Amino acid sequence: MEQIPNRKIHLVPFDHIAGFDVRPGFYEINGATAIPGGVNFTLHSNQATSCELLLFHRMEDEPFAILPFPEHYRIGNVYSMIVFKLDIEQFEYAYRLDGPYEPEKGIIFDKSKYLLDPYAKAVTGQSVWGRRSEVGNCYKARVVKDDFDWGDFKEPHIPMEDLIIYELHVRGYTKADGSITTVPGTYAALMEKIPYLKELGVNAVELMPIFEFDEVKDRRQYNGQELLDYWGYNTVSFFAPNTSYSAGVEYNREGNELKELIRSLNENNIEVILDVVFNHTAEGNENGPFFSFKGFDNNIYYMLTPDGKYYNYSGCGNTLNCNHPIVQHMILECLRYWVTSYRVDGFRFDLASILGRNEDGTPMSKPPLLQSLAFDPILGKTKLIAEAWDAGGLYQVGSFPSWNRFAEWNGKYRDDLRSFLKGDVGFAEAAANRITGSQDIYNPEVRGYNASVNFLTCHDGFTMYDLYSYNEKHNEANGWNNTDGESNNRSWNCGAEGETDDPEVLTLRKRLIRNACAVLLASRGTPMFLAGDEFCNTQYGNNNPYCQDNMVSWLDWSRLEKFPDIYEFFRFMIAFRKEHAVIRKDMQMCSMRFPSMSLHGVQPWNSSYDWDTHVIGVMFAGRTPDGKKDDVVYLAINTFWENQTIQLPEIPVDRSWQVVVDTRYETGMIEQPYPVWNNQTELFPRSVQILIVE
């Protein structure tokens, strides 16, 4: 056997900088990491000529120590240094980099700037919502330690077709008084709402941005109302949870309250999907702040024009250069971190088409970032959902580069169903396609039926109540003279704009909400709806309340008592969807030999929809999961303003069609399902029925 030669082990002597013992660090571990006896600091910059580590006492403005990285502590473009005898609970840190200044090339190093570590796990001065620390002229970072005990934790791994996604804002969900929570507006308060989520029946929450953002960065006043960056789509730090959502100050713990929330949700069979924003950062364009990426490698992290300006495919001033290898690596490391350290179940990528643009902004057929995410082993069971468009006009619903891994927010489902359900002509065929899984844009032989995330409402746009209460957006309170937000909402106020006491209008609005709920939850694909839709939450016609940290955006829980019938109908439809697997996926063929999905009109098996068609029928058929009985569900929709008689498909004489949902009624649910005669049913104007075969 070959002998290992004897070698002398040479201990590297300490260097001494600014009163600290230091040594070269671990070059492959980005960020600041606590190790026995000290802290390892690692960063990289392709074009910097020097780098300094700045150490601050907590909440102080000026550093108590400045540690230049010796040149021999640099390998390639990576600086790494271990600083010994640092107590992580007693300091905050930032960096200062020097380098060339050639703005026409997008190179803008500035040694006077304090820079936030792009890999910071916690950001200081942000812990109290709406209040920036009075001390400190920059974002600084903390070193964290991960001492959270996950125990025998197991993720639910719910199949995509079985998910019912509920989109919510962590602060707004519980901030209003009626939420009845201990510390409203926090992760802890959301945890208190888990019994409600379980009772409702949703099994996935999609959290609007929880990466660290600065809600006061663009604080302004309009008509006496303070406006903040409430939504949080301007990321300050991709690796750090938003500390102002924590009920208590955690300092050097690694988001333990958030981890407790995720574990508790998962233990209750509710998955957690994070809305992530890798298309831009909070640094804006050349007139925006300079606090992190601009100072590390501006022309690498951002897409720049030939003269060094910022491309703006995000609509927010800058565009992250996602397919540069360095940025690719950072995004992949970030997602891996959230999956391994926080056990996140999935990600929804905001303006995801940007993630497929080349460095010059052109769309790529096989974007390396998206491909690496699709095939990454650590992300192998993580759900990936793309918002398949961007603010630069790139629209990829149905064509997003997916490698059969990315699902998509189906914007065509939203638009086509909104139009059809309010009675517009020319949308019957499109609506039928959307309800049956959008097979015209997602090839089921390639992508199955899990590519489409079906939604009618989300944070961006009207709530479901407002969808049938307003013809026009009412965003005046945002301070932009009502020019912001989408103008083509495909909404209908049912005869009165906004709030009204007209009983006929109110009755019609509630029926249309029941229609929308029934169709959404009886469609093939993964359903998603906006928190509060289940009890008619309103934003008073504001379809872009990104800056409204008030009752415009907060859920008004008093409406749960005002609209209990709508809430119960949502509960019923969620349970109905779970009970009938044929809605969600193809099952073994039923004994009546019906196809798994079929389209119908006023007459069965007739799907020749013309321009003026207002009636469609969709039938799902198969066997129950245990294979013991037939499961046949028929969704009948009448968007016309007169009664319509529908002939249903023939079934054996010993079987009958039973009505289980009829939205003409106040509850929408039929407590005692009743049979129809001669396979024929009558649909009330602007109503939906769901029938099953018994």
Side-chain angles (χ1 to χ4, degrees):
M1 186 173 67
E2 184 179 0
Q3 297 293 316
I4 299 176
N6 292 326
R7 296 186 179 180
K8 293 183 179 180
I9 299 176
H10 297 280
L11 294 177
V12 179
F14 290 120
D15 289 315
H16 303 282
I17 301 176
F20 288 93
D21 293 336
V22 300
R23 283 182 180 167
F26 299 98
Y27 291 84
E28 296 181 351
I29 304 176
N30 287 309
T33 309
I35 62 172
V39 177
N40 180 79
F41 296 91
T42 300
L43 69 151
H44 56 78
S45 172
N46 274 25
Q47 294 163 311
T49 55
S50 66
C51 176
E52 295 174 331
L53 169 66
L54 311 179
L55 300 179
F56 301 80
H57 290 304
R58 185 180 294 167
M59 304 299 291
E60 290 195 355
D61 193 35
E62 295 298 325
F64 69 83
I66 300 175
L67 288 75
F69 282 76
E71 184 59 31
H72 64 283
Y73 281 35
R74 176 175 183 168
I75 296 179
N77 297 319
V78 180
Y79 299 87
S80 190
M81 176 167 57
I82 298 172
V83 182
F84 291 94
K85 296 182 181 179
L86 273 179
D87 182 351
I88 67 170
E89 297 187 5
Q90 299 302 317
F91 77 92
E92 301 164 355
Y93 76 97
Y95 293 112
R96 212 160 47 184
L97 275 68
D98 199 4
Y101 183 77
E102 302 174 34
E104 69 282 0
K105 297 180 180 179
I107 302 172
I108 54 173
F109 285 95
D110 185 343
K111 192 179 179 180
S112 69
K113 300 289 188 181
Y114 293 173
L115 301 179
L116 177 66
D117 183 356
Y119 285 80
K121 303 299 193 301
V123 180
T124 67
Q126 303 287 107
S127 59
V128 179
W129 175 271
R131 190 175 77 209
R132 174 73 66 78
S133 169
E134 295 180 2
V135 180
N137 59 5
C138 71
Y139 299 109
K140 299 187 287 291
R142 295 194 302 270
V143 182
V144 300
K145 56 185 175 184
D146 184 2
D147 57 1
F148 188 81
D149 183 7
W150 290 95
D152 58 356
F153 173 85
K154 293 182 180 178
E155 296 92 340
H157 292 311
I158 302 170
M160 193 73 187
E161 65 268 16
D162 294 339
L163 284 187
I164 298 163
I165 302 174
Y166 187 70
E167 189 195 29
L168 64 86
H169 187 282
V170 170
R171 177 174 170 83
Y173 194 66
T174 61
K175 186 58 183 171
D177 292 341
S179 71
I180 314 177
T181 53
T182 306
V183 190
T186 64
Y187 302 124
L190 179 53
M191 191 156 53
E192 293 182 67
K193 283 295 183 182
I194 290 176
Y196 173 83
L197 298 174
K198 290 183 66 179
E199 181 183 68
L200 179 59
V202 297
N203 56 15
V205 290
E206 184 171 303
L207 305 182
M208 289 173 65
I210 63 165
F211 292 178
E212 191 67 78
F213 65 92
D214 187 352
E215 69 279 359
V216 302
K217 181 177 70 70
D218 295 320
R219 167 184 269 152
R220 55 196 172 93
Q221 294 280 332
Y222 181 75
N223 283 348
Q225 178 70 51
E226 182 176 63
L227 303 181
L228 304 177
D229 182 11
Y230 167 78
W231 274 358
Y233 283 91
N234 285 299
T235 308
V236 166
S237 179
F238 293 108
F239 290 79
N242 187 18
T243 51
S244 66
Y245 287 168
S246 295
V249 179
E250 296 188 339
Y251 289 119
N252 301 92
R253 295 297 184 267
E254 192 178 17
N256 282 2
E257 187 179 313
L258 174 57
K259 291 179 180 180
E260 186 66 41
L261 168 64
I262 293 171
R263 181 172 65 182
S264 297
L265 286 164
N266 277 192
E267 287 174 345
N268 285 279
N269 207 42
I270 300 173
E271 294 198 341
V272 177
I273 299 168
L274 300 186
D275 191 343
V276 294
V277 188
F278 290 113
N279 55 76
H280 74 284
T281 77
E283 289 190 297
N285 59 19
E286 52 271 12
N287 299 317
F290 185 128
F291 62 82
S292 186
F293 298 102
K294 287 181 178 179
F296 280 89
D297 272 316
N298 181 64
N299 64 337
I300 285 177
Y301 285 104
Y302 296 114
M303 289 186 190
L304 301 180
T305 64
D307 60 350
K309 305 296 184 183
Y310 294 85
Y311 281 118
N312 187 17
Y313 298 111
S314 67
C316 298
N318 65 50
T319 306
L320 209 58
N321 192 12
C322 297
N323 284 292
H324 188 286
I326 287 176
V327 187
Q328 283 183 58
H329 185 69
M330 181 198 70
I331 293 173
L332 181 58
E333 279 196 276
C334 178
L335 297 178
R336 284 179 161 189
Y337 171 72
W338 284 97
V339 169
T340 56
S341 292
Y342 285 83
R343 310 297 175 89
V344 167
D345 302 289
F347 301 99
R348 176 265 186 189
F349 296 87
D350 182 66
L351 297 183
S353 289
I354 284 176
L355 278 63
R357 288 185 183 269
N358 207 341
E359 294 181 53
D360 61 359
T362 56
M364 307 172 77
S365 60
K366 292 185 177 181
L369 171 62
L370 297 178
Q371 187 172 25
S372 67
L373 300 184
F375 292 101
D376 184 72
I378 288 180
L379 305 181
K381 294 186 181 296
T382 303
K383 294 173 175 69
L384 307 176
I385 302 171
E387 184 183 36
W389 55 84
D390 65 25
L394 186 56
Y395 189 81
Q396 295 178 302
V397 172
S399 61
F400 188 80
S402 72
W403 287 273
N404 218 24
R405 277 285 284 122
F406 284 85
E408 300 173 17
W409 267 24
N410 191 344
K412 292 183 178 180
Y413 182 99
R414 174 198 59 202
D415 296 343
D416 292 340
L417 263 299
R418 280 188 177 190
S419 293
F420 180 71
L421 289 175
K422 76 184 183 75
D424 288 352
V425 296
F427 284 93
E429 183 176 0
N433 283 332
R434 302 298 152 253
I435 293 169
T436 53
S438 294
Q439 299 175 73
D440 56 329
I441 59 175
Y442 302 115
N443 184 343
E445 294 183 3
V446 177
R447 301 187 68 178
Y449 292 102
N450 295 330
S452 178
V453 174
N454 300 328
F455 69 105
L456 293 166
T457 58
C458 64
H459 70 276
D460 191 3
F462 283 146
T463 67
M464 196 172 287
Y465 180 84
D466 290 359
L467 188 63
Y468 299 114
S469 300
Y470 296 91
N471 283 348
E472 307 294 337
K473 64 184 180 181
H474 294 272
N475 299 357
E476 290 83 2
N478 295 351
W480 304 110
N481 197 29
N482 207 32
T483 58
D484 62 305
E486 177 60 59
S487 296
N488 181 23
N489 293 287
R490 307 186 187 216
S491 60
W492 180 39
N493 65 17
C494 297
E497 188 73 357
E499 295 300 314
T500 180
D501 294 326
D502 189 322
E504 291 188 7
V505 172
L506 294 174
T507 297
L508 179 57
R509 286 177 179 177
K510 289 171 68 175
R511 190 188 322 142
L512 294 184
I513 290 171
R514 290 192 293 271
N515 291 351
C517 171
V519 171
L520 176 67
L521 289 162
S523 294
R524 183 68 62 92
T526 302
M528 181 191 78
F529 63 96
L530 179 64
D533 280 348
E534 72 274 18
F535 51 73
C536 297
N537 192 59
T538 179
Q539 293 171 175
Y540 308 99
N542 193 324
N543 73 353
N544 186 40
Y546 73 98
C547 55
Q548 299 293 329
D549 180 36
N550 49 55
M551 287 303 298
V552 171
S553 291
W554 301 346
L555 260 66
D556 182 356
W557 288 91
S558 70
R559 295 176 76 88
L560 180 58
E561 297 179 3
K562 186 177 179 180
F563 297 98
D565 52 324
I566 298 297
Y567 169 75
E568 291 298 336
F569 187 70
F570 267 81
R571 281 190 65 207
F572 174 85
M573 282 306 309
I574 290 170
F576 183 84
R577 179 181 180 85
K578 291 179 178 179
E579 182 182 354
H580 294 277
V582 292
I583 297 174
R584 309 191 303 271
K585 56 189 173 184
D586 289 346
M587 305 297 290
Q588 178 185 345
M589 182 172 283
C590 70
S591 63
M592 289 169 279
R593 313 301 293 174
F594 289 152
S596 62
M597 290 188 295
S598 54
L599 300 179
H600 310 266
V602 174
Q603 295 298 317
W605 311 108
N606 181 5
S607 58
S608 298
Y609 306 131
D610 59 30
W611 182 254
D612 201 31
T613 294
H614 288 277
V615 176
I616 62 175
V618 178
M619 185 169 68
F620 301 96
R623 302 288 285 178
T624 55
D626 60 11
K628 293 182 178 179
K629 58 180 291 189
D630 287 340
D631 187 11
V632 181
V633 175
Y634 191 99
L635 173 67
I637 307 170
N638 175 25
T639 63
F640 199 51
W641 43 90
E642 295 179 357
N643 281 20
Q644 296 291 304
T645 300
I646 292 184
Q647 191 69 35
L648 301 166
E650 292 285 339
I651 55 176
V653 294
D654 61 340
R655 312 292 291 276
S656 67
W657 285 105
Q658 303 266 333
V659 178
V660 294
V661 167
D662 192 336
T663 62
R664 67 178 291 185
Y665 299 114
E666 184 75 11
T667 66
M669 305 169 286
I670 308 300
E671 291 187 11
Q672 296 293 327
Y674 62 85
V676 301
W677 299 103
N678 299 319
N679 297 318
Q680 194 174 86
T681 188
E682 189 84 6
L683 284 181
F684 195 71
R686 302 188 190 277
S687 70
V688 169
Q689 281 186 5
I690 297 179
L691 304 96
I692 60 174
V693 173
E694 289 288 356

